[in-house]
Amino acid sequence: MSLSSTTSHLTILPSLPSTSPLSLRFSFTFREKRNQTTPLTTTLLASPRTATARFLVKSQATTTPASSEAAKVTQVPSEMKAWVYGEYGGVDVLKFDSSIAVPDVKEDQVLVRVFAAALNPVDGKRRQGKFKATDSPLPTVPGYDVAGVVVKVGSEVKDFKVGDEVYGDVNEKALEGPKQFGSLAEYTAVEEKLLALKPKNLDFAQAASLPLAIETAYEGLERTGFSAGKSILVLNGSGGVGSLVIQLAKQVFGASRVAATASTRNLELLKSLGADLAIDYTKENFEDLPEKFDVVYDAIGQCDRAVKAIKEGGSVVALTGAVTPPGFRFVVTSNGAVLKKLNPYLESGKVKPIVDPKGPFPFDQVVEAFSYVETNRATGKVVIYPIP
């Protein structure tokens, strides 16, 4: 799926139609074993797969699902492959472990066979111990964003069944007791209220790029009271959250005017996402422009400058850095209902996931992916796929 003819440097993972001259070829091995001793749950496990060819291609948007990886019923294993750390620190504390216990499923949870995950700045901050007072106990399997297939359902689950393709942010509160077993593993257990069905036109990698970022974008806009006819300036419009704020402001909230900042190489991307004004932060100071805005969405940490760019009575939402009044900060609450509400915009192509063109990173390159995220140079989201 290409953004536009003007963004040739960006590649978004496509869902290839069956008639495409390019193909993704995988080798599958299936084992089928039915478990007769657990009548209250049904299990499904996507088999291991070995990629014999891998392409990053540009194509037009398609409604053809690209998620036929999982379809055989078998027994969920007791152990799984995962990335884990037992102490806080830099990327060197991350270790690969092939014998982590598959998490138990509570009554209100589903067990998801993970096909793709994505990294967020909060993953790095958590690993560095920046909110260890409210973190879950070590050791930790990191990861917030997930896309995969339901393989087991708890006794109180009503909305999902085995075989459903889902996506979501596995941690309801990002900084308050996030799960000990996150999404950088073959399996993760998630409350059903945090998940939604995966948009039919998106593959697992695209879907995994969305949950935390799109929920942050949406909640921030709601908290500012943003509505049709208002104007907005998005700082770091090419980032994971910023690229979605542009699209939601325009397509969902009905913004009258959207401006956004990025470096020179990403200005065309901003325009393709719907920005009316693309500001090159290497050449202009946005706060010096004569135009002022109803809302500034600061996704980079420049609140002290952002407050100079709002109209009287305007709002500034700051995701990181020091907060200057009247700016405010919030921590997103994961909510599958938000994803469900936004699914029609994703399935229609009005809102598009942006996956950094350096990815997706395979499961054995999680350390490299973390290092790249922490350069703060990523465009859109950094995705881990396939898993394992």
Side-chain angles (χ1 to χ4, degrees):
M1 180 188 306
S2 68
L3 287 172
S4 74
S5 61
T6 60
T7 57
S8 59
H9 66 284
L10 242 188
T11 302
I12 298 180
L13 295 177
S15 302
L16 293 177
S18 60
T19 57
S20 171
L22 295 176
S23 63
L24 289 175
R25 298 179 180 178
F26 295 96
S27 170
F28 294 89
T29 302
F30 293 100
R31 295 194 307 269
E32 181 166 330
K33 178 194 279 187
R34 299 188 183 276
N35 184 351
Q36 303 295 336
T37 62
T38 54
L40 294 180
T41 61
T42 311
T43 60
L44 177 148
L45 168 63
S47 66
R49 59 214 183 281
T50 303
T52 59
R54 179 165 168 258
F55 297 95
L56 293 178
V57 302
K58 299 182 178 73
S59 70
Q60 295 302 313
T62 173
T63 58
T64 303
S67 50
S68 58
E69 288 106 321
K72 286 287 182 177
V73 175
T74 187
Q75 186 176 18
V76 174
S78 60
E79 294 183 340
M80 63 181 181
K81 300 180 181 72
W83 284 89
V84 64
Y85 55 88
E87 59 181 320
Y88 294 115
V91 294
D92 57 303
V93 302
L94 289 160
K95 307 297 180 186
F96 179 79
D97 194 323
S98 60
S99 57
I100 296 292
V102 172
D104 294 329
V105 178
K106 298 177 182 177
E107 290 84 353
D108 62 341
Q109 292 181 329
V110 300
L111 187 67
V112 175
R113 168 63 171 87
V114 181
F115 281 100
L119 301 185
N120 296 278
V122 69
D123 288 295
K125 293 175 181 177
R126 182 186 183 191
R127 192 200 66 238
Q128 293 162 10
K130 293 191 174 179
F131 55 92
K132 59 185 176 182
T134 57
D135 199 1
S136 56
L138 295 169
T140 296
V141 173
Y144 286 67
D145 289 324
V146 68
V149 174
V150 175
V151 296
K152 184 181 290 187
V153 297
S155 60
E156 297 177 3
V157 171
K158 296 180 176 63
D159 293 336
F160 298 112
K161 63 184 184 302
V162 167
D164 282 344
E165 297 175 352
V166 296
Y167 74 130
D169 170 2
V170 305
N171 295 310
E172 184 172 14
K173 298 292 185 182
L175 307 181
E176 299 174 23
K179 286 182 173 60
Q180 188 174 11
F181 296 96
S183 60
L184 288 175
E186 291 183 276
Y187 296 89
T188 190
V190 194
E191 291 78 8
E192 71 166 332
K193 67 180 181 180
L194 307 184
L195 297 172
L197 291 174
K198 179 179 72 65
K200 297 181 180 65
N201 60 316
L202 301 184
D203 61 27
F204 284 118
Q206 292 170 317
S209 75
L210 287 166
L212 190 148
I214 203 168
E215 290 174 352
T216 300
Y218 184 85
E219 186 174 339
L221 287 167
E222 281 214 316
R223 285 175 177 266
T224 66
F226 198 74
S227 58
K230 291 187 176 182
S231 61
I232 187 170
L233 169 63
V234 184
L235 305 185
N236 191 21
S238 62
V241 174
S243 60
L244 291 163
V245 173
I246 293 171
Q247 296 181 79
L248 296 186
K250 194 72 136 183
Q251 299 294 339
V252 179
F253 287 83
S256 60
R257 185 163 168 81
V258 176
T261 65
S263 61
T264 309
R265 67 186 177 94
N266 284 323
L267 295 181
E268 291 302 321
L269 169 63
L270 300 186
K271 295 175 185 176
S272 75
L273 296 176
D276 303 293
L277 175 64
I279 302 168
D280 187 340
Y281 71 75
T282 70
K283 298 177 180 177
E284 294 183 277
N285 293 321
F286 63 83
E287 70 270 30
D288 295 336
L289 297 175
E291 183 176 5
K292 304 302 176 186
F293 302 88
D294 294 304
V295 170
V296 176
Y297 201 118
D298 175 17
I300 195 65
Q302 298 174 338
C303 190
D304 57 331
R305 297 169 58 193
V307 295
K308 300 175 184 178
I310 54 172
K311 297 176 180 178
E312 185 176 353
S315 299
V316 175
V317 55
L319 297 185
T320 187
V323 176
T324 302
F328 69 92
R329 175 178 296 150
F330 75 99
V331 177
V332 67
T333 299
S334 176
N335 186 351
V338 171
L339 298 178
K340 185 177 180 180
K341 179 177 182 178
L342 296 176
N343 271 358
Y345 296 93
L346 293 161
E347 292 184 336
S348 69
K350 290 181 178 179
V351 177
K352 302 176 179 67
I354 309 299
V355 176
D356 187 277
K358 289 187 183 295
F361 288 78
F363 197 53
D364 62 358
Q365 292 183 14
V366 164
V367 172
E368 291 85 345
F370 264 101
S371 296
Y372 179 52
V373 168
E374 290 168 30
T375 67
N376 295 318
R377 305 299 296 173
T379 299
K381 290 296 293 295
V382 173
V383 172
I384 309 298
Y385 174 87
I387 295 175

